[in-house]
Amino acid sequence: MAGNRVKARGESVLAERFAVFAECLLTGVWIAVASLGVVTYPAAFAAGARHLRRRTAHEGGGWREFVADFRRALRGGWLAGFAGWAAVAAVWVDVQAARAGIPGGPLVGAVGVVALIAVVVAGLRAAAVWEPDARWRTLLAQAWRRTVLDPAGSFLIITGLAVVALSAWFVAPLAVPVLGAVAAAAVAVEERYRHR
């Protein structure tokens, strides 16, 4: 891929950083569109993260590469997406038990919510390092370890998710481009972990 390296000559640091920010927002739109298949969100985030890694490495890439990566990531990614929705359903049942006043319900509900957040963070960390030859099961197992061993990085991803939630709460359409910022945060956290 070194032959595809692209960088504008004389581009200022500010201009380069703004270009990366703009690319994150565009990638968020791509991720949102690719996630419309309900169980396709892990593949969409994986393709988005790979696109952002190429962009920050000054390698060529665009919509076509994103779509090709999305198709490859979808091979096993749809199962991860299905498992994610199953986890959401299980937590919903826990929260309903807590609301119904079942003894121990509030504790079970709180544990369920915390576990769901950990699963989401591990999923985003797995998507951030996805490569075309990677198996989702292996990626998720390794990401789970990193989620536990790197609490600071996991907290940064949780903060990014909170930004998406607040964006959606204030102005719903803002949540779409901000998804790219969450993917970028996961990529940055994984890069930080790799260099520790």
Side-chain angles (χ1 to χ4, degrees):
M1 281 284 220
N4 288 342
R5 291 180 80 76
V6 180
K7 183 171 182 179
R9 296 186 187 271
E11 186 177 71
S12 73
V13 174
L14 182 62
E16 182 179 348
R17 288 182 182 164
F18 185 75
V20 170
F21 175 70
E23 198 70 33
C24 287
L25 298 180
L26 176 63
T27 303
V29 174
W30 293 352
I31 290 169
V33 169
S35 296
L36 290 176
V38 181
V39 295
T40 59
Y41 64 90
F45 270 98
R50 190 152 189 254
H51 170 74
L52 291 172
R53 288 195 318 263
R54 276 194 301 264
R55 175 63 177 97
T56 56
H58 302 290
E59 297 174 358
W63 172 249
R64 288 181 183 169
E65 287 82 0
F66 174 87
V67 170
D69 285 340
F70 173 70
R71 286 181 179 160
R72 282 185 237 134
L74 195 56
R75 289 184 190 136
W78 71 272
L79 281 171
F82 183 78
W85 283 114
V88 167
V91 169
W92 184 81
V93 169
D94 286 348
V95 169
Q96 294 308 314
R99 291 176 133 193
I102 293 175
L107 176 64
V108 171
V111 169
V113 169
V114 169
L116 180 62
I117 291 169
V119 166
V120 170
V121 169
L124 285 170
R125 291 186 86 141
V129 297
W130 176 84
E131 291 291 336
D133 59 344
R135 293 177 43 97
W136 278 99
R137 181 176 292 178
T138 305
L139 287 173
L140 288 167
Q142 293 169 349
W144 185 255
R145 285 192 71 235
R146 291 190 306 274
T147 299
V148 172
L149 295 175
D150 181 24
S154 298
F155 180 74
L156 289 171
I157 294 173
I158 291 168
T159 304
L161 292 170
V163 168
V164 171
L166 287 173
S167 298
W169 186 46
F170 288 127
V171 182
L174 280 180
V176 171
V178 174
L179 289 173
V182 172
V187 168
V189 164
E190 286 301 313
E191 193 65 23
R192 173 187 157 276
Y193 184 81
R194 195 168 62 89
H195 289 294
R196 282 177 34 172

